[in-house]
């Protein structure tokens, strides 16, 4: 075997060993495995190392200190576990090492991206004429959608924000729900619209924005709605909000990092009613669809608004006459993220994606039922894959979660929900089985005793 092949073969063997053990090992690494990362803190080597030796260090030091998010019992944040087809695709795409800035730099990368974006619009039920970008995550996707909104509203007001900036521009208003995700506020900050300079709308007990509490809107306003609250999974009443916003010429942006994928499921699609009417959408491939990290998707009803905010040209960097990936995204050089999105969707198909959404949501329901039966309080209506649990006082809930994390059978975190401290479960991985839920319920019960 030539040395290059032997190296890749070694990587495959180590990855397979990692994958196998990730279903049985502790979910979070031990303190000593984390401490062992100090072995990395050596001076920058003077001489080269054999690639096989580099890989061996990576596996010996790195693998044990990873969190087993691919194993089926990680319920923290909203993290998927990479699908087999997406993992394999990411290896091949790394071997290609394509820069998908311009089509001429990677016809393949651009084509996979085009197709993947088209499929996402299709399966999410969004206007097929929308444009988009494949970016690093929903934070950047929010940034893209809001940049398009900023461009479009200010252009309508006779102001060229992309060239002249915000100094002296007609002021824009931004309306968000009290339960806005922090990443959206960060995106507003990056765009000069201000994290704090927002009008907050009251929400109901599930965190849904109250349409009846919206301020008077106008054509200089961006209204940000949410498909899937990060704690409860709840959906804002988008149809009513879009109707009111559009009557006044406002722009509606959707943060649908994970919840928007409910549209892929016949059982849950109704939750996304009305989101189709918005002007821009942000979602993630790396959350519910289980594309590997990282993969976010920005979509904009009128692609020209996104292009105007993102495009750049130079004598040596001239776009062709078809869609150029980097003309729609914040980056110039960019990896061929669309390939892994394509691979995940191609392997799932419409039915597989619906099944993934429905299976993980059923597991969430199993968690809620099992914990309620054991006498613990479920704080949210479990509408999709998110469950909030209280074990009593904030101290008791926090101590219980600490024991769960220490025990290692599963991993989940805590949150604060409308004045209550809660354990937060998010079932987002294709790899989670009924057995995982059973083992996890037993471990939670042990920790709570
Ligand atoms: C509703 C919502 N929006 C945005 C984000 C940020 O996503 P990302 O981490 O992919 O940037 C998250 C992450 O959990 C989220 O739940």
């Amino acid at each position: 075997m030539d040395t290059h092949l032997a190296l890749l073969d070694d990587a495959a063997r180590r990855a397979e060993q990692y994958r196998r053990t990730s279903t049985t090992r502790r979910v979070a690494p031990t303190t000593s495995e984390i401490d062992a990362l100090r072995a990395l803190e050596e001076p920058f080597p003077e001489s080269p190392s054999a690639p096989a030796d580099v890989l061996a260090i990576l596996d010996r030091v790195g693998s044990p200190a990873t969190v087993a998010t691919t194993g089926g019992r990680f319920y923290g944040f909203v993290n998927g576990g990479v699908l087999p087809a997406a993992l394999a695709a990411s290896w091949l795409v790394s071997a290609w090492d394509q820069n998908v800035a311009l089509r001429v730099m990677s016809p393949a990368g651009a084509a996979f991206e085009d197709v993947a974006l088209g499929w996402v619009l299709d399966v999410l039920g969004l206007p097929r004429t929308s444009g988009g970008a494949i970016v690093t995550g929903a934070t950047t996707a929010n940034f893209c959608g809001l940049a398009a909104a900023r461009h479009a509203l200010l252009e309508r007001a006779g102001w060229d924000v992309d060239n002249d900036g915000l100094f002296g521009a007609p002021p824009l208003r931004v309306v968000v729900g009290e339960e806005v995700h922090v990443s959206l506020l960060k995106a507003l900050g990056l765009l000069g619209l201000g994290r704090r300079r927002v009008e907050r709308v009251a929400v109901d007990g599930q965190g849904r924005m109250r349409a009846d509490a919206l301020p008077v809107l106008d054509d200089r306003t961006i209204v940000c709605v949410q498909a899937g609250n990060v704690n409860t999974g709840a959906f804002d009443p988008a149809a009513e909000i879009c109707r009111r916003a559009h009557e006044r010429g406002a722009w509606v942006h959707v943060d649908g990092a994970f919840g928007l994928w409910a549209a892929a499921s016949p059982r849950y699609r109704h939750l996304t009613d009305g989101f189709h009417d918005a002007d821009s959408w942000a979602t993630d491939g790396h959350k519910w669809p289980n594309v590997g990290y990282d993969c976010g998707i920005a979509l904009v009803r009128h692609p020209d608004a996104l292009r105007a905010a993102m495009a750049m040209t130079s004598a040596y960097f001239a776009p062709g006459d078809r869609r150029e990936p980097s003309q729609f995204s914040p980056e110039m050089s960019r990896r061929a993220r669309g390939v892994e999105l394509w691979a995940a969707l191609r392997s799932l198909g419409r039915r597989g994606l619906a099944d993934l959404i429905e299976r993980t949501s059923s597991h969430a329901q199993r968690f809620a039922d099992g914990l309620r039966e054991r006498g613990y309080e479920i704080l949210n209506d479990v509408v999709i894959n998110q469950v909030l649990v209280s074990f009593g006082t904030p101290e008791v809930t926090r101590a219980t979660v600490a024991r769960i994390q220490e025990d290692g059978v599963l991993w989940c975190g805590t949150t604060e929900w409308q004045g209550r401290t809660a354990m937060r479960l998010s079932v987002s991985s294709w790899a989670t089985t009924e057995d995982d839920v059973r083992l996890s319920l037993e471990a939670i019960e042990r920790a709570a005793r």
Side-chain angles (χ1 to χ4, degrees):
M1 202 187 288
D2 77 29
T3 51
H4 208 133
L5 181 57
L7 179 68
L8 295 179
D9 205 54
D10 189 19
R13 208 179 35 75
R14 290 175 188 277
E16 176 51 18
Q17 163 78 4
Y18 178 82
R19 193 196 60 82
R20 232 176 317 109
T21 53
S22 74
T23 56
T24 50
R25 57 166 267 199
R26 281 177 56 85
V27 175
T30 60
T31 310
S32 61
E33 286 163 338
I34 296 169
D35 289 347
L37 289 169
R38 303 204 86 137
L40 299 175
E41 294 167 19
E42 56 179 354
F44 180 45
E46 292 300 332
S47 15
S49 300
D53 295 343
V54 175
L55 190 67
I57 299 171
L58 175 67
D59 194 22
R60 188 179 68 248
V61 182
S63 294
T66 57
V67 176
T69 48
T70 54
R73 290 195 301 280
F74 182 84
Y75 312 113
F77 311 99
V78 191
N79 286 5
V82 63
L83 283 164
L87 170 60
S90 87
W91 287 5
L92 191 54
V93 91
S94 291
W96 291 353
D97 193 25
Q98 297 289 279
N99 181 351
V100 194
L102 294 177
R103 196 167 285 270
V104 71
M105 297 156 93
S106 181
F112 281 103
E113 179 164 324
D114 289 346
V115 172
L117 282 171
W119 287 354
V120 170
L121 290 172
D122 175 2
V123 78
L124 296 184
L126 302 179
R128 292 300 299 267
T129 48
S130 306
I134 302 181
V135 293
T136 50
T139 305
T140 313
N142 278 328
F143 172 83
C144 292
L146 294 166
R150 185 183 72 161
H151 167 87
L153 295 190
L154 285 175
E155 183 184 52
R156 211 191 288 155
W159 187 268
D160 179 355
V161 67
D162 303 301
N163 285 309
D164 298 330
L166 276 178
F167 301 101
L172 293 182
R173 294 166 57 205
V174 181
V175 172
V176 301
E178 277 294 354
E179 276 294 333
V180 61
H181 193 270
V182 284
S183 70
L184 192 133
L185 297 177
K186 174 173 173 175
L188 289 171
L190 292 172
L191 287 161
L193 296 171
R195 296 188 189 204
R196 204 165 43 208
R197 201 185 141 280
V198 289
E199 297 170 45
R200 287 176 176 267
V201 178
V203 296
D204 67 12
Q206 297 301 315
R208 289 177 291 238
M209 199 194 276
R210 280 181 33 208
D212 64 335
L214 278 172
V216 174
L217 304 173
D218 57 36
D219 61 359
R220 305 257 174 90
T221 306
I222 305 168
V223 184
C224 303
V225 296
Q226 210 166 234
N229 176 285
V230 75
N231 285 311
T232 64
F235 293 72
D236 286 343
E240 176 64 9
I241 295 172
C242 287
R243 190 183 60 74
R244 288 180 187 224
H246 289 154
E247 271 171 14
R248 300 302 181 116
W251 178 289
V252 182
H253 171 75
V254 177
D255 178 357
F258 60 103
L260 213 46
W261 294 97
S265 147
R267 197 192 301 165
Y268 295 103
R269 186 168 299 142
H270 64 280
L271 295 168
T272 63
D273 284 352
F275 285 94
H276 166 280
D277 298 333
D279 301 286
S280 55
W281 305 265
T283 190
D284 265 324
H286 57 222
K287 289 192 167 74
W288 235 353
N290 285 241
V291 181
Y293 283 88
D294 44 34
C295 178
I297 305 153
L299 301 163
V300 178
R301 178 180 291 272
H302 297 294
D304 286 352
L306 182 60
R307 176 204 276 266
M310 298 294 162
M312 57 194 147
T313 54
S314 162
Y316 86 101
F317 190 77
D321 49 14
R322 295 176 61 196
R323 175 185 180 277
E324 295 290 5
S326 64
Q327 304 296 78
F328 292 86
S329 71
E331 310 91 356
M332 181 180 264
S333 292
R334 48 202 300 284
R335 65 189 295 276
R337 264 188 208 96
V339 175
E340 286 129 291
L341 178 59
W342 171 88
L345 296 176
R346 184 71 175 75
S347 76
L348 288 169
R350 206 178 290 277
R351 266 208 309 280
L353 184 57
D355 182 58
L356 172 56
I357 302 304
E358 292 172 11
R359 197 156 28 92
T360 44
S361 298
S362 296
H363 289 325
Q365 197 57 59
R366 247 173 230 121
F367 268 118
D369 294 344
L371 290 165
R372 217 182 266 116
E373 277 162 23
R374 287 165 170 83
Y376 309 118
E377 189 185 358
I378 305 302
L379 300 184
N380 64 315
D381 295 342
V382 179
V383 287
I384 44 171
N385 62 338
Q386 308 291 119
V387 188
L388 299 178
V389 191
S390 167
F391 295 96
T393 63
E395 294 73 26
V396 169
T397 297
R398 272 195 286 271
T400 305
V401 174
R403 282 195 294 275
I404 290 168
Q405 292 176 354
E406 177 56 36
D407 178 53
V409 169
L410 69 142
W411 200 96
C412 61
T414 56
T415 190
E416 296 295 315
W417 178 247
Q418 299 192 339
R420 306 281 308 272
T421 299
M423 174 176 90
R424 190 176 161 285
L425 295 164
S426 175
V427 189
S428 306
S429 171
W430 70 278
T432 300
T433 62
E434 285 188 35
D435 259 1
D436 286 319
V437 175
R438 186 180 49 73
L439 282 173
S440 301
L441 279 170
E442 288 166 7
I444 294 170
E445 187 175 14
R446 273 198 309 277
R449 258 194 233 126

